[in-house]
């Protein structure tokens, strides 16, 4: 007997939905094994990770704060990946968006009007899009692989941020800490209620709605789908692959930039050397867990935000490394990609057949 | 091994042959790609394997090289029965093969590429010396340290040949070696092959170029539809008689009961030239053709002679360099993109159904949008899709063209080849195009679907449209075409009325009779 993968005639709707569920279950089982090996009770550890973040108002709010950038970036990336354009440099676009958006409150620090925030958000989105334009240009002009270029640009963006907050934009009254002045009034994202939840989560939901319409109802969304699925057919349809590369990279870069300025003008309130716990990378997992579908990304963003909060809680309660959360995220992506095989294939048991012998007669 | 062994002695014992294939049969489902094929190659002979595309040449060669296993039949090497399980086993016996499309690493140099193919740990310095030695000896100039990316296609082929020669083969298989060469490079290659043969190495030379075969080969086996239809001495044959054997005598012109009253020219190709796209592409040379309202014009030819390049040029997937090269319904369209050409009344059906004519993972109604998003019937209004209309059009097309499917709007990839072809043809016919260009309309399609598609093309012409069919299927061409032109190495012959064109003539044209010999094709150097 042996197991073989048998190609389905069409993709399976059921497995498209069940693959992430299956992946989450497998991740939880793997997590339990990891905790058990570390000598922890796997059940209480998993409870701390995945359930406790939803048991108090404070932690639910924290989940939403972290879900906002994940959803914004993940929704943009899902459109990008649909087009077979692999932007994995959202972390860098987020950083450049944060820098560009912070230009207003730092350079014109006394300007206070509702427009201030609007200009900050627009500049943030433009900054992210401009940074994503670099891999787009390199891909279209020189056929340079965007996976490599966008990833390498992440480190460039982070070093620029590091230099700026230690150098020109350092708060003169900040006791030499590497951070900018604190933003105030209309330089900050308005909060919803008393806690730290800010309007970023609303922006994320709006982005999801717009991108859902884009992908399901418009010719542009159709072009993205066709170019991503079958570029030759796209050319036959008269669609330009280069235009789609521009469009998807600028869109995902812009949304990442928006998430970046949302972080700086939101929970952080100033520029620091580290403004994101890897949202740009985690959003890649969000996009895949959400089936490259903006609405799916909404749920996946919340799911991944929980692992962040759970990771923090586990660090405090259980004394495990904060890297454990990243292990979970990586394992999850691994299982999703593996389970996605089942969308186009089914597993079949075959009675083993005698293979033809591999001998050569008479030389 | 002796030189110039007599090869036509019928009484020779089988051990006199280097390789003997007896009764080789290879079934793919119900289709016999090879049917009881017998082939005998003596040491030191250059043996031609002739046939049209789909005749079974590649299948036979792959069996000899061990890439696939025959369903039935036996192979004998120097009179002993052998089982060639894989290409490594074939190489151990002494069989070398130069493929039509080479597999070389562009970023590595010549010696490194050759070292990769050799089994043992080899000192690259020694190897370089050996390469220089062999390449000089056989007139295949090669610089071992040259980067493959900088080499022309001809030079790349030399790497493959030298790679085989280093393993001291006793049988060298060459698959369409001159398809990618300039005439000068081809001449050089022939000298090398003759030299090899004189040293006792046998060469199995696969080609459909009759002049080359006549010039080079001692012996020829001709395949048609999987069967051996002739075993001849090419020196004793004329190109015409070889062509007749290759094409077969069972092709009939059955185009009788149709009036032929062509109207104005709707599609005009005017001195269309185009450089090859990549090292294995074919460049188009000075192509001229008129297709008039009410007629079906067919372009015959062996695959890989520029058909898909010509299709891309006419459809606008590759835009021409000047506007006058292509004229569609009175409008110079050379610089138009495919969408504009469609709006101007043209419809296109490419050869590849999945991935080119249709997106495998999208539903049929979405595949309707693929070519009709800019039509007047409003599938896309100010950027938004009208999915209901697409579904309605899909229902009409699948009904009118008898597309059989499991559910109302399935994914394209779930349809059988014939049904998907009816869909992609129907999608264009449903628009009532004034000009229809269709590449290999019934390739891999069952007989029923093929008949329906051919009838639909004739009906479209009768209704006053111009239809251009690119096909390798001569039966099909004689069945539907009013006029026939032949493409060979990117050059198109004149178009002849189909009832005036003999099989011999068409075979000669397929072998390149009309090519301008004086024009030295400065064929594509490496990218």
């Amino acid at each position: 007997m042996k197991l073989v993968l048998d190609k389905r005639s069409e993709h399976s709707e059921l497995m498209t939905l069940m693959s992430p569920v299956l992946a989450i279950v497998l991740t939880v089982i793997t997590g339990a094994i990891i905790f058990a090996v570390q000598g922890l009770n796997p059940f209480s550890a998993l409870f701390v990770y995945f359930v406790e973040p939803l048991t108090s108002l404070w932690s639910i709010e924290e989940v939403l704060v972290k879900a906002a950038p994940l959803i914004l970036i993940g929704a943009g990336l899902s459109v990008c990946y649909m087009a077979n354009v692999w932007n994995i440099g959202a972390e860098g676009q987020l950083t450049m968006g944060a820098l560009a958006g912070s230009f207003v409150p730092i350079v014109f620090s006394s300007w206070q009007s509702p427009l201030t925030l609007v200009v900050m958000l627009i500049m943030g989105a433009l900054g992210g899009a401009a940074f994503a334009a670099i891999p787009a240009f390199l891909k279209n002009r020189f056929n340079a692989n965007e996976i490599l270029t966008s990833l390498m640009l992440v480190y460039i963006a982070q070093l620029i941020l590091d230099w700026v907050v230690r150098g020109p934009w350092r708060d003169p009254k900040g006791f030499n800490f590497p951070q900018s002045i604190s933003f105030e009034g209309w330089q900050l994202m308005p909060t919803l209620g008393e806690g730290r939840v800010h309007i970023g989560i609303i922006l994320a939901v709006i982005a999801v709605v717009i991108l859902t319409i884009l992908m399901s109802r418009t010719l542009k969304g159709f072009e993205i789908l066709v170019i991503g699925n079958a570029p030759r057919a796209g050319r036959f349809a008269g669609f330009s692959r280069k235009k789609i590369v521009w469009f998807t990279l600028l869109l995902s870069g812009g949304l990442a930039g928006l998430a970046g300025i949302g972080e700086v003008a939101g929970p952080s309130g100033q520029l620091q050397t580290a403004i994101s716990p890897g949202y740009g990378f985690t959003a890649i997992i969000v996009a895949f867990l959400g089936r490259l579908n903006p609405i799916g990304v909404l749920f996946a963003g919340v799911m991944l935000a929980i692992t962040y909060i759970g990771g923090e809680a586990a660090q405090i309660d259980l004394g495990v490394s904060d890297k454990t959360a990243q292990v979970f995220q990586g394992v999850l992506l691994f299982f999703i990609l593996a389970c996605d095989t089942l969308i186009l294939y089914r597993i079949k048991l075959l009675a083993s057949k005698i293979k033809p012998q591999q001998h050569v007669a008479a030389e | 091994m002796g030189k110039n062994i007599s090869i036509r002695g019928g009484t020779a014992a089988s051990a006199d042959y280097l390789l003997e294939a007896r009764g080789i049969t290879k079934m793919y489902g119900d289709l016999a790609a090879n049917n009881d094929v017998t082939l005998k190659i003596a040491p030191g002979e250059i043996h031609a394997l002739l046939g049209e595309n789909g005749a079974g040449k590649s299948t036979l060669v792959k069996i000899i090289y061990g890439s696939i296993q025959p369903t039935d039949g036996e192979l004998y090497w120097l009179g002993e029965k052998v089982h060639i399980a894989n290409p490594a086993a074939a190489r151990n016996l002494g069989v070398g093969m130069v493929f039509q499309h080479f597999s070389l690493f562009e970023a590595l140099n010549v010696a490194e590429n050759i070292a990769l193919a050799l089994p043992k740990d080899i000192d690259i310095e020694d190897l370089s010396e050996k390469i220089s030695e062999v390449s000089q000896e056989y007139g295949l100039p090669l610089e071992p340290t040259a980067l493959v990316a900088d080499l022309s296609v001809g030079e790349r082929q030399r790497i493959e040949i030298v790679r085989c020669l280093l393993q001291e083969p006793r049988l060298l298989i060459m698959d369409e070696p001159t398809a990618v060469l300039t005439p000068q490079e081809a001449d050089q290659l022939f000298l090398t092959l003759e030299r090899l043969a004189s040293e006792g190495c046998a060469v199995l030379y696969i080609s459909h170029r009759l002049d080359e075969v006549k010039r080079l080969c001692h012996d020829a086996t001709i395949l048609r539809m999987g069967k051996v239809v002739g075993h001849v001495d090419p020196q004793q044959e004329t190109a015409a008689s070889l062509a007749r054997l290759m094409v077969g005598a069972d092709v009939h012109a059955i185009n009788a009961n149709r009036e032929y009253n062509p109207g104005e020219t709707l599609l005009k190709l005017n001195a269309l030239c185009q450089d090859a796209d990549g090292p294995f592409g074919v460049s188009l040379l000075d192509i001229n053709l008129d297709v008039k309202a009410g007629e079906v014009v067919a372009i015959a030819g062996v695959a890989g002679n520029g058909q898909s390049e010509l299709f891309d040029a006419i459809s606008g997937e590759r835009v021409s360099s000047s506007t006058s090269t292509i004229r569609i319904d009175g409008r110079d369209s050379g610089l138009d993109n495919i969408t504009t050409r469609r709006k101007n009344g043209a419809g296109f059906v490419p050869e590849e159904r999945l991935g080119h004519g249709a997106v495998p993972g999208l539903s049929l109604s979405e595949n309707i949008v693929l070519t009709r998003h800019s039509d007047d019937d409003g599938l896309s209004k100010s950027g938004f899709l009208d999915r209901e209309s697409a579904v309605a059009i899909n229902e009409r097309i699948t009904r009118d063209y008898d597309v059989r499917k499991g559910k109302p709007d399935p994914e394209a990839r779930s349809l059988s080849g014939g049904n998907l072809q009816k869909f992609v043809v129907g999608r264009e016919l449903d628009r009532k195009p004034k000009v229809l260009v269709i590449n290999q309309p019934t390739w891999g399609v069952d007989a029923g679907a093929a008949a329906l598609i051919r009838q639909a093309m004739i009906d479209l012409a009768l209704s006053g449209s111009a239809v251009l069919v690119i096909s390798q299927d001569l039966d099909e061409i004689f069945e539907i075409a009013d006029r026939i032109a032949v493409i060979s190495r990117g050059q198109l012959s004149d178009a002849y009325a189909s009832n005036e064109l003999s099989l011999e003539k068409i075979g000669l044209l397929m072998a390149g009779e009309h090519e301008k010999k004086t024009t030295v094709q400065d064929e594509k150097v490496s990218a």
Side-chain angles (χ1 to χ4, degrees):
Chain A
M1 298 286 273
K2 63 172 182 174
L3 288 171
V4 291
L5 287 173
D6 186 35
K7 201 164 193 327
R8 299 174 193 265
S9 67
E10 285 201 4
H11 83 264
S12 155
E13 293 288 346
L14 178 70
M15 280 316 299
T16 308
L17 293 173
M18 288 308 291
S19 157
V21 176
L22 196 59
I24 289 170
V25 171
L26 288 169
T27 306
V28 168
I29 293 171
T30 311
I33 294 169
I34 292 174
F35 287 128
V37 168
Q38 287 184 316
L40 296 165
N41 179 341
F43 295 102
S44 58
L46 288 172
F47 181 82
V48 170
Y49 248 93
F50 295 108
V51 185
E52 220 174 60
L54 299 173
T55 53
S56 78
L57 182 62
W58 173 85
S59 52
I60 290 177
E61 283 190 352
E62 280 304 300
V63 166
L64 291 181
V65 169
K66 292 212 157 30
L70 288 176
I71 295 168
L72 266 178
I73 304 169
L77 290 184
S78 66
V79 172
C80 212
Y81 297 165
M82 268 293 177
N84 225 347
V85 175
W86 300 100
N87 176 11
I88 57 166
E91 185 77 5
Q93 292 137 24
L94 173 149
T95 306
M96 291 312 273
L99 269 172
S102 302
F103 178 81
V104 176
I106 291 173
V107 176
F108 304 101
S109 53
S110 56
W111 184 34
Q112 283 288 353
S113 115
L115 259 185
T116 313
L117 185 66
V118 175
V119 171
M120 282 169 66
L121 292 178
I122 291 172
M123 285 188 62
L126 289 178
F131 208 55
I134 300 172
F137 171 77
L138 294 175
K139 184 176 178 65
N140 281 341
R141 181 70 182 76
F142 302 108
N143 203 18
N145 188 325
E146 74 278 14
I147 297 178
L148 299 177
T149 52
S150 66
L151 178 62
M152 291 192 289
L153 283 164
V154 171
Y155 306 108
I156 295 175
Q158 286 174 339
L159 289 170
I160 293 174
L161 171 71
D162 197 79
W163 170 71
V164 165
V165 293
R166 288 176 198 278
W169 283 3
R170 190 173 54 189
D171 181 2
K173 296 173 201 148
F175 308 103
N176 265 343
F177 280 109
Q179 55 196 30
S180 74
I181 55 168
S182 295
F183 302 171
E184 286 166 349
W186 282 113
Q187 297 163 347
L188 290 172
M189 303 281 270
T191 52
L192 306 172
E194 297 298 305
R196 301 212 307 155
V197 182
H198 58 87
I199 58 164
I201 190 74
I202 296 178
L203 292 178
V205 172
I206 294 173
V208 163
V209 171
I210 292 175
L211 292 187
T212 302
I213 294 171
L214 171 83
M215 290 309 289
S216 62
R217 300 244 164 266
T218 68
L219 185 61
K220 185 55 102 184
F222 183 72
E223 281 179 40
I224 290 170
L225 217 58
V226 170
I227 292 281
N229 261 289
R232 190 87 174 81
R235 198 167 79 180
F236 182 61
F239 303 150
S240 156
R241 171 153 172 75
K242 289 188 173 181
K243 278 189 197 159
I244 294 296
V245 168
W246 277 114
F247 180 83
T248 53
L249 272 168
L250 292 185
L251 176 81
S252 55
L255 287 172
L258 195 59
I261 185 62
E263 278 308 287
V264 175
S268 155
Q270 63 187 159
L271 267 186
Q272 296 168 329
T273 51
I275 50 174
S276 144
Y279 289 138
F281 293 119
T282 307
I284 298 171
I285 305 169
V286 170
F288 278 105
L289 187 64
R291 320 282 65 213
L292 303 186
N293 174 325
I295 293 181
V297 162
L298 203 59
F299 295 101
V302 172
M303 170 77 202
L304 267 295
I306 290 173
T307 67
Y308 270 118
I309 307 300
E312 287 173 10
Q315 196 183 358
I316 297 163
D317 295 357
L318 308 172
V320 296
S321 159
D322 62 337
K323 299 283 183 259
T324 315
Q326 288 178 21
V327 172
F328 270 124
Q329 294 174 357
V331 169
L332 182 57
L333 180 61
F334 173 80
F335 279 125
I336 297 169
L337 297 179
C339 292
D340 277 357
T341 310
L342 298 175
I343 295 173
L344 270 182
Y345 294 86
R346 73 182 100 225
I347 295 178
K348 239 173 137 176
L349 270 176
L350 263 198
S352 51
K353 269 168 71 175
I354 302 144
K355 286 177 76 180
Q357 300 96 331
Q358 296 285 306
H359 68 84
V360 185
E363 290 230 52
Chain B
M1 271 172 272
K3 292 187 176 186
N4 294 327
I5 287 170
S6 161
I7 38 138
R8 302 210 36 93
T11 54
S14 64
D16 288 351
Y17 290 108
L18 181 65
L19 178 88
E20 203 182 332
R22 284 191 203 157
I24 296 289
T25 299
K26 177 69 186 176
M27 303 295 297
Y28 287 109
D30 291 338
L31 178 84
N34 275 176
N35 189 351
D36 195 18
V37 171
T38 295
L39 177 73
K40 293 174 182 173
I41 305 171
E45 76 164 326
I46 303 180
H47 192 114
L49 191 56
L50 278 169
E52 289 187 281
N53 279 90
K57 292 174 296 183
S58 305
T59 306
L60 181 59
V61 164
K62 281 183 191 157
I63 288 171
I64 295 172
Y65 197 57
S67 329
I68 54 176
Q69 298 302 318
T71 315
D72 202 5
E74 285 135 19
L75 292 172
Y76 293 84
W77 183 260
L78 291 169
E80 274 191 79
K81 190 174 168 186
V82 288
H83 167 72
I84 302 178
N86 50 45
R91 281 194 293 271
N92 280 337
L93 284 177
V95 182
M97 176 146 180
V98 176
F99 290 92
Q100 195 176 359
H101 292 189
F102 340 119
S103 41
L104 296 169
F105 292 93
E106 294 204 342
L108 300 181
N109 70 28
V110 171
E112 288 163 342
N113 262 291
I114 290 177
L116 280 173
L118 298 177
K120 298 143 266 173
D121 295 325
I122 283 174
D123 183 54
I124 206 95
E125 301 273 311
D126 290 354
L127 182 64
S128 298
E129 246 170 66
K130 254 176 119 183
I131 292 169
S132 304
E133 222 170 85
V134 171
S135 69
Q136 265 168 27
E137 204 180 323
Y138 288 94
L140 298 162
L142 259 189
E143 174 54 51
T145 55
L147 208 58
V148 169
D150 300 331
L151 299 182
S152 73
V153 180
E155 288 169 309
R156 290 178 195 210
Q157 189 182 54
R158 278 181 220 149
I159 303 178
E160 294 275 357
I161 298 173
V162 168
R163 176 192 276 178
C164 287
L165 293 185
L166 284 175
Q167 293 167 338
E168 287 160 12
R170 301 166 77 180
L171 171 64
L172 185 63
I173 304 173
M174 306 283 296
D175 188 3
E176 301 272 0
T178 55
V180 293
L181 298 185
T182 63
Q184 292 81 353
E185 286 174 328
D187 287 344
Q188 182 58 52
L189 174 70
F190 297 156
L191 290 179
T192 304
L193 293 181
E194 276 160 4
R195 162 86 194 270
L196 270 172
S198 75
E199 290 176 356
C201 177
V203 177
L204 182 59
Y205 188 88
I206 302 161
S207 182
H208 60 263
R209 312 204 76 86
L210 305 175
D211 48 343
E212 288 175 3
V213 168
K214 261 186 73 65
R215 173 173 155 192
L216 186 69
C217 299
H218 310 125
D219 204 351
T221 298
I222 299 157
L223 289 179
R224 177 153 33 91
M225 299 173 87
K227 283 187 183 158
V228 175
V229 293
H231 182 183
V232 297
D233 179 353
Q235 319 293 340
Q236 309 291 321
E237 301 286 328
T238 62
S241 65
L242 285 174
R244 198 164 44 230
L245 276 169
M246 209 167 95
V247 171
D250 54 344
V251 184
H252 305 291
I254 44 166
N255 203 13
N257 297 330
R258 219 167 101 225
E259 279 187 43
Y260 176 54
N261 301 312
E264 55 173 332
T265 298
L266 290 180
L267 173 67
K268 186 177 179 63
L269 308 181
N270 187 12
L272 173 67
C273 294
Q274 193 179 68
D275 287 335
D277 186 15
F280 297 115
V282 177
S283 37
L284 301 177
L285 279 169
D286 191 24
I287 289 190
N288 293 287
L289 183 70
D290 286 359
V291 188
K292 300 186 176 71
E295 72 170 345
V296 178
V297 174
I299 295 180
V302 178
N305 273 284
Q307 285 95 331
S308 48
E309 286 83 358
L310 180 62
F311 178 85
D312 286 358
I314 301 175
S315 72
E317 286 177 83
R318 264 193 87 184
V319 173
S320 179
S321 55
S322 105
T323 187
S324 62
T325 51
I326 292 163
R327 205 170 166 81
I328 296 173
D329 194 15
R331 176 190 155 101
D332 283 334
S333 304
L335 299 177
D336 290 343
N337 61 28
I338 187 167
T339 304
T340 312
R341 294 184 198 195
R342 284 200 182 103
K343 280 185 180 168
N344 196 28
F348 307 101
V349 180
E351 176 180 5
E352 273 296 314
R353 295 181 276 271
L354 277 179
H356 190 174
V359 183
L362 295 186
S363 68
L364 291 186
S365 70
E366 286 173 310
N367 272 299
I368 299 270
V369 181
L370 196 67
T371 63
R372 299 180 58 159
H373 54 83
S374 298
D375 280 9
D376 297 332
D377 47 9
L379 286 182
S380 156
K381 288 180 189 115
S382 48
F384 282 85
L385 296 179
D386 181 356
R387 287 177 182 270
E388 281 79 39
S389 299
V391 168
I393 294 175
N394 180 43
E395 275 168 17
R396 185 170 73 226
I397 290 172
T398 52
R399 190 186 59 232
D400 290 357
Y401 296 94
D402 188 28
V403 179
R404 294 183 202 153
K405 50 194 168 56
K407 51 185 196 179
D409 197 6
E411 284 177 24
R413 68 172 141 229
S414 70
L415 263 57
S416 74
N419 280 308
L420 187 58
Q421 186 68 9
K422 284 189 276 187
F423 171 80
V424 293
V425 173
R427 179 178 64 189
E428 303 311 314
L429 291 176
D430 184 67
R431 296 170 58 222
K432 312 239 177 318
K434 290 183 95 167
V435 174
L436 180 71
V437 183
I438 181 164
N439 192 4
Q440 316 301 351
T442 58
W443 180 80
V445 160
D446 62 276
L452 185 144
I453 289 168
R454 286 172 192 159
Q455 190 60 49
M457 289 189 287
I458 292 174
D459 291 347
L460 182 72
L462 282 176
S463 73
S465 297
V467 178
L468 178 62
V469 179
I470 303 171
S471 177
Q472 292 168 45
D473 182 342
L474 289 177
D475 289 322
E476 168 172 275
I477 286 178
F478 278 107
E479 193 176 331
I480 62 174
D482 300 301
R483 290 190 299 140
I484 300 171
V486 178
I487 192 166
S488 165
R489 282 204 246 204
Q491 300 186 40
L492 191 68
S493 74
D494 294 333
Y496 300 90
S498 55
N499 48 15
E500 291 169 8
L501 197 59
S502 69
L503 282 173
E504 264 178 50
K505 177 74 178 168
I506 212 169
L508 288 171
L509 289 170
M510 280 163 70
E513 190 200 49
H514 61 283
E515 288 174 21
K516 296 186 183 98
K517 301 289 185 209
T518 49
T519 328
V520 175
Q521 281 170 269
D522 45 338
E523 266 181 65
K524 61 274 165 178
V525 190
S526 66

